Amino acid sequence: MKAITLEPKAAGSARFEDIPEPDLREGSVLVEAVAVGVCGTDVEIVAGKYGWAPPGKSRLVLGHESLGRVVDPGSTGAFKAGDLVAGIVRRPDPVPCSNCAVGEWDMCRNGQYTERGIKSLDGFMSERWRIEPEYAMKIDRSLGLLGVLLEPTTVVAKAWEQVTAVGQRAFWEPHTVLVTGAGPIGLLAALVARQHGLDVHVFDRVVDGPKPDLVRALGATYHSGALKDLGFEPDGIVECTGAGPVIAEAVAVVAPGGIVCLTGVGSGGRTGAMPIADAAAAMVLRNNVIVGSVNANKRHWFRAGQVLARADRGWLARLVTRRERPADFAQALARRPDDIKVVLQFSEA
Ligand SMILES: [Zn+2]
């Protein structure tokens, strides 16, 4: 079968090639790929900056934002042929740490977790893949191809859970939520906040293209320019840019008692912001919390399925701005200005 593989940490090694059929040891459920979303992590892995091949292998099958159709459900009875499924990305570490031991592999404490398509496990960019039934998530049939948005939605489902969990430390009735960054994660975060009935504001640099309209179509308000000119203090902020200056501004504009949830993974970026003790003093005096959120456990995958099932299909469809053939994976990985979510389509949903 065909797959997109690469040698981790070797830039330029990615290729669309024939590999053996998936090994039964990868799981009893055999799935035919429908689509795989592409994200910044994939771009980094292909650029040789990140990624680990499975033990004993030199190459890794790429892809962690999966959607597929069950071909052979195995013997558990949990699935039937034709079901649409997505594969959970992370697996608990083998020790396991206390968090992995209770199924919170997203909170793994020792870093020895593995991840499909990223860390020591083959991903989903192959014509067929196998998965353990307990790590396959059934997808609402009516979503069709849009089920490929499940994995990015799990990231915001967890982030939202973190925000609401932190909110419980005090009397907290949020009314306004700011999302920084109108990429797929930011737009899905805005969707979740709107589904909770909140007054949602989305900030991004761009002034045209599809993002402003997508935000307005949610019933949210779009902002560009400087965050300090926002005109109000958000009760909660979901930060999705990972950009230093945006993070510094987000922390500065959040309301007293407000929560900033960081989901972006960036680096560098000088801010000219205040010294750390001054920033800490401002946070102390205003009871602010900054919380980081990464990955997702099965509870978040389930929640994400609920979010997508409730969402307007037309709006979700506008997030998938480009579909490419697997053989053209290099084009899928090359960012274009109006891209939101680009997917490799292996077969019809
Ligand atoms: Zn762990």
Side-chain angles (χ1 to χ4, degrees), residues 14 60 103 117 139 150 152 166 178 185 211 213-214 232 245 275 325 327:
L60 172 75
I139 286 180
L150 186 64
V166 172
L178 172 70
I185 297 293
K211 292 174 179 178
D213 281 343
L214 277 162
F232 68 98
R325 295 181 312 150

Side-chain angles (χ1 to χ4, degrees), residues 91-101 104-105 107-113:
R91 298 291 177 276
D93 79 76
V95 176
C97 76
S98 50
N99 287 78
C100 285
E104 290 183 353
W105 50 73
M107 304 293 285
C108 181
R109 292 161 60 88
N110 63 24
Q112 295 179 49
Y113 59 82

